[in-house]
Amino acid sequence: MIVRDFHKLKDTSRAVSDAQWTSVRMLLADDGMGFSFHITTLAAGSEHTFHYKHHFESVYCISGHGAITDLASGETFEIRPGVMYALDQHDRHAIRADEDLVMACCFNPPVTGTEVHREDGSYAPALAD
């Protein structure tokens, strides 16, 4: 059994951030679960473009308000507490945070914790074991 406290992890190397977002990696690849689990906060007023070409991601909004746009179709969806989205087609997308967005995120394959977003908004492919 793995038990971790977000409040204890947020000041460790498991908290990865830049000026507009913070991601606390609660589960990583080396935990052996087959997915990673993160609590990510996007700062109010920020906009992000991501394209996880090598990962599937599902996201559940815990708090805040914003929108996600599918960049292929142009369709925009409201993000608010209780809304989940899944990037089941490696969808290139943009997220706008009207308020701080706090979201629970799962990645498959799991991230290792050292990834950084590349220029195109993706992470590098996961390495095989």
Side-chain angles (χ1 to χ4, degrees), residues 38-81:
H38 319 187
I39 302 296
T40 299
T41 303
L42 304 177
S46 66
E47 294 188 24
H48 311 266
T49 299
F50 299 122
H51 187 190
Y52 298 119
K53 299 176 189 178
H54 311 288
H55 297 81
F56 294 105
E57 182 190 26
S58 65
V59 178
Y60 176 82
C61 181
I62 298 168
S63 66
H65 188 266
I68 182 168
T69 300
D70 178 332
L71 294 175
S73 70
E75 194 170 12
T76 297
F77 304 90
E78 180 183 16
I79 297 175
R80 64 183 187 297

Side-chain angles (χ1 to χ4, degrees), residues 13-30:
S13 63
R14 283 185 174 258
V16 178
S17 63
D18 77 3
Q20 298 186 316
W21 60 267
T22 299
S23 182
V24 178
R25 277 75 190 276
M26 306 288 292
L27 287 173
L28 291 169
D30 64 3

